[in-house]
């Protein structure tokens, strides 16, 4: 029995592959490598001793996906494949709708054909929008995403909900990630964004390693304890372990559940910069800039449902995240391109 990871060569997917293999699962990765690197597969082998089965395909091509299901006994799917750059999604929304929805619809049709009824979906806290009070709870109203990327996540949550209502044996767990950062402690796999990073931690680590001259802090006038944006940063290894618990839950239950994957703690941009400097004894040059359009003041998770349903809580600290992020970046200054 195998778990299929669509987009499994990416940042979250590769860390989830490691934790699934460590938990005794067989893993099959499908990825078109549009935003990932095949070198990660050897790194997973070095970490776990097992080379994951890999198919370089586009999930939206049903014929290719059928070959994967024909050749493997897929008992559950974790669906990571999709474009995920917020600013890019506002510039080329049609590509985001076409890609993120096509891959999902193709996957669901092939799962139905092969009677595979359990899926875990890589969703995002961005579905909560900016009107809810923190901490965000799963039963709060969703919507109000400020970009096409976030709207595709919400649309896919709705698609999975409709399928679960129509098919009583279907099971979907919608994992709403907060802010995944960090890297596997080996430093062999980590976050390797293409081009200029949009997200805070990869920008910090690229500044620390000298690829970037300074970090720009986007706004210091937010309604937070120090004026900079507050987010719920979660170690990617904790997040990956949450996926192991989620796929176990999905294969043992039916119906649809939205579940937050966060720590329940909010950290500001300054908190992250200072924690990184202290953990790694490095100074990060900083420039204060204007707010970034679409950013909200505060975003952090209510974590009780994950504990109750999945028996999972995040355990790693912001210091762990900063140390592991730096360990990855200093060993791989150019990501997987080295
Ligand atoms: C965090 C904080 C910025 C960069 C997004 C998506 C979410 C998920 C994670 C995909 C904010 C500040 C950032 C910088 C800065 N996407 N910042 N200087 O925007 O909370 O979440 O990424 O998986 O769905 O919405 O994350 O890391 O971009 O920003 O000051 O160079 O850091 O203003 O307050 P965000 P982020």
């Amino acid at each position: 029995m195998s778990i299929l990871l669509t987009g499994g060569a990416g940042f979250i997917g590769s860390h989830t592959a490691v934790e699934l293999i460590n938990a005794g699962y067989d893993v099959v990765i499908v990825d078109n490598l549009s935003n990932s690197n095949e070198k990660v597969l050897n790194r997973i082998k070095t970490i776990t001793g097992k080379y994951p089965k890999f198919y370089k395909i586009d999930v939206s091509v049903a014929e290719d996906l059928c070959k994967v299901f024909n050749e493997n006994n897929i008992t559950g799917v974790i669906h990571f494949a999709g474009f995920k750059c917020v600013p890019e999604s506002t510039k080329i929304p049609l590509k985001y709708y076409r890609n993120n929805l096509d891959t999902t619809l193709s996957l669901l049709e092939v799962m139905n054909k092969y009677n595979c009824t359990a899926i875990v979906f890589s969703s995002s806290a961005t579905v909560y929008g900016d009107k809810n009070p923190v901490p965000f709870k799963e039963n709060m109203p969703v919507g109000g995403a400020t970009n096409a990327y976030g709207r595709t996540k919400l649309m896919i949550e709705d698609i999975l909900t409709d399928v679960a209502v129509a098919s009583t044996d279907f099971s979907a767990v919608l994992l709403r990630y907060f802010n995944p950062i960090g890297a596997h402690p080996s430093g062999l796999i980590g976050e390797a964004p293409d081009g200029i990073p949009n997200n805070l931690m990869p920008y910090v680590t690229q500044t620390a390693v000298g690829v970037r001259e300074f970090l720009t802090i986007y706004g210091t006038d937010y309604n937070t304890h120090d004026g900079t944006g507050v987010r719920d940063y979660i170690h990617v290894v904790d997040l990956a372990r949450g996926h192991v618990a989620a796929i176990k839950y999905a294969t043992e239950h039916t119906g649809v559940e939205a579940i937050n994957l966060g720590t329940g703690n909010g950290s500001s941009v300054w908190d992250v910069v200072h924690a990184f400097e202290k953990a790694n004894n490095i100074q990060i040059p900083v420039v204060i800039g204007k707010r970034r359009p679409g950013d909200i003041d505060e975003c952090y998770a209510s974590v009780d449902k994950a504990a109750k349903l999945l028996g999972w809580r995040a355990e790693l600290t912001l210091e762990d995240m900063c140390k592991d992020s730096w360990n990855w970046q200093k060993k791989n200054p150019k990501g997987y391109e080295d």
Side-chain angles (χ1 to χ4, degrees), residues 84 86 124 126 149 178-180 197-201 203 215-218 222 229-231 233 269 292 295-296:
K84 64 161 202 170
V86 170
S124 167
T126 201
Y149 158 80
F178 282 70
N179 287 63
N198 292 294
N199 295 142
L200 178 63
M201 185 54 89
Y203 207 106
L215 169 74
T216 302
I217 294 185
Y218 295 139
Y222 284 101
V230 168
R231 298 293 184 272
Y233 297 95
V269 179
R292 182 171 64 174
D295 277 356
I296 62 177

Side-chain angles (χ1 to χ4, degrees), residues 5-6 9 11 36 52 65 90 94 106 110 119 184 247 283:
L5 306 185
T6 72
F11 174 41
S36 52
L65 198 55
T90 59
L94 284 181
S106 162
V110 172
I119 186 169
H184 188 269
I247 194 65
Q283 291 306 303

Side-chain angles (χ1 to χ4, degrees), residues 14-25 48 184 237 240-241 244:
S14 55
H15 284 82
T16 302
V18 165
E19 297 307 321
L20 282 167
I21 293 168
N22 289 344
Y25 288 91
T48 65
H184 188 269
V237 171
R241 290 169 179 160
V244 177

Side-chain angles (χ1 to χ4, degrees), residues 42 46 54 85 88 102 105 125 147 164 182 200 217 258 266 269 287 291 306:
N42 260 324
T46 304
F54 174 68
C85 176
E88 184 186 55
D102 268 7
L105 293 170
N147 53 76
L200 178 63
I217 294 185
V269 179
V287 164
R291 286 188 176 202

Side-chain angles (χ1 to χ4, degrees), residues 10-333:
F11 174 41
I12 316 290
S14 55
H15 284 82
T16 302
V18 165
E19 297 307 321
L20 282 167
I21 293 168
N22 289 344
Y25 288 91
D26 290 323
V27 161
V28 177
I29 291 177
V30 296
D31 202 306
N32 64 6
L33 302 179
S34 63
N35 189 23
S36 52
N37 192 307
E38 197 165 351
K39 287 180 187 171
V40 75
L41 303 171
N42 260 324
R43 306 284 181 95
I44 293 171
K45 164 83 160 56
T46 304
I47 295 168
T48 65
K50 282 194 172 181
Y51 193 94
K53 214 166 179 187
F54 174 68
Y55 295 78
K56 186 183 178 216
I57 64 163
D58 194 312
V59 175
S60 62
V61 180
E63 185 185 346
D64 294 344
L65 198 55
C66 285
K67 181 174 184 302
V68 179
F69 277 80
N70 270 329
E71 295 176 1
N72 300 276
N73 176 16
I74 305 290
T75 51
V77 179
I78 304 182
H79 181 33
F80 296 103
F83 295 157
K84 64 161 202 170
C85 176
V86 170
E88 184 186 55
S89 79
T90 59
K91 296 190 183 81
I92 50 171
L94 284 181
K95 282 192 183 298
Y96 270 68
Y97 288 116
R98 172 60 69 193
N99 181 70
N100 292 4
L101 299 180
D102 268 7
T103 49
T104 303
L105 293 170
S106 162
L107 171 64
L108 290 170
E109 287 168 347
V110 172
M111 284 177 70
N112 184 50
K113 178 182 167 78
Y114 289 88
N115 195 33
C116 179
T117 58
I119 186 169
V120 171
F121 172 56
S122 166
S123 191
S124 167
T126 201
V127 302
Y128 289 111
D130 59 0
K131 300 288 183 296
N132 286 304
V134 285
F136 292 161
K137 291 184 178 62
E138 291 88 347
N139 62 358
M140 284 181 174
V142 291
T146 55
N147 53 76
Y149 158 80
R151 278 189 274 275
T152 64
K153 291 298 186 184
L154 204 47
M155 287 176 185
I156 295 166
E157 286 198 4
D158 289 344
I159 291 166
L160 293 172
T161 301
D162 286 345
V163 172
V165 167
S167 324
T168 52
D169 60 348
F170 189 75
S171 173
V173 175
L174 316 173
L175 293 180
R176 292 172 179 169
Y177 304 168
F178 282 70
N179 287 63
I181 62 172
H184 188 269
S186 66
L188 288 169
I189 57 176
E191 191 168 6
D194 281 341
I196 300 172
N198 292 294
N199 295 142
L200 178 63
M201 185 54 89
Y203 207 106
V204 167
T205 57
Q206 287 190 15
T207 303
V209 82
V211 170
R212 307 288 162 203
E213 192 185 351
F214 54 80
L215 169 74
T216 302
I217 294 185
Y218 295 139
T220 55
D221 60 347
Y222 284 101
N223 183 20
T224 65
H225 63 273
D226 65 14
T228 63
V230 168
R231 298 293 184 272
D232 185 334
Y233 297 95
I234 175 171
H235 198 297
V236 65
V237 171
D238 269 332
L239 192 85
R241 290 169 179 160
H243 285 73
V244 177
I247 194 65
K248 181 176 187 301
Y249 180 91
T251 52
E252 294 170 354
H253 296 80
T254 58
V256 60
E257 292 289 355
I259 300 178
N260 290 339
L261 290 189
T263 67
N265 304 313
S267 300
S268 73
V269 179
W270 277 126
D271 291 336
V272 173
V273 171
H274 294 151
F276 185 89
E277 291 180 326
K278 183 178 177 202
N280 300 305
N281 192 25
I282 295 175
Q283 291 306 303
I284 299 292
V286 167
V287 164
I288 303 300
K290 292 188 296 185
R291 286 188 176 202
R292 182 171 64 174
D295 277 356
I296 62 177
D297 298 66
E298 282 194 300
C299 170
Y300 56 88
S302 163
V303 297
D304 295 339
K305 187 171 180 183
K308 182 167 175 249
L309 257 59
L310 305 181
W312 170 93
R313 281 189 188 279
E315 297 171 349
L316 297 165
T317 65
L318 183 60
E319 181 185 5
D320 297 322
M321 299 175 214
C322 292
K323 282 182 175 170
D324 291 335
S325 294
W326 176 233
N327 185 42
W328 150 256
Q329 186 74 85
K330 70 184 177 185
K331 289 180 176 176
N332 304 273

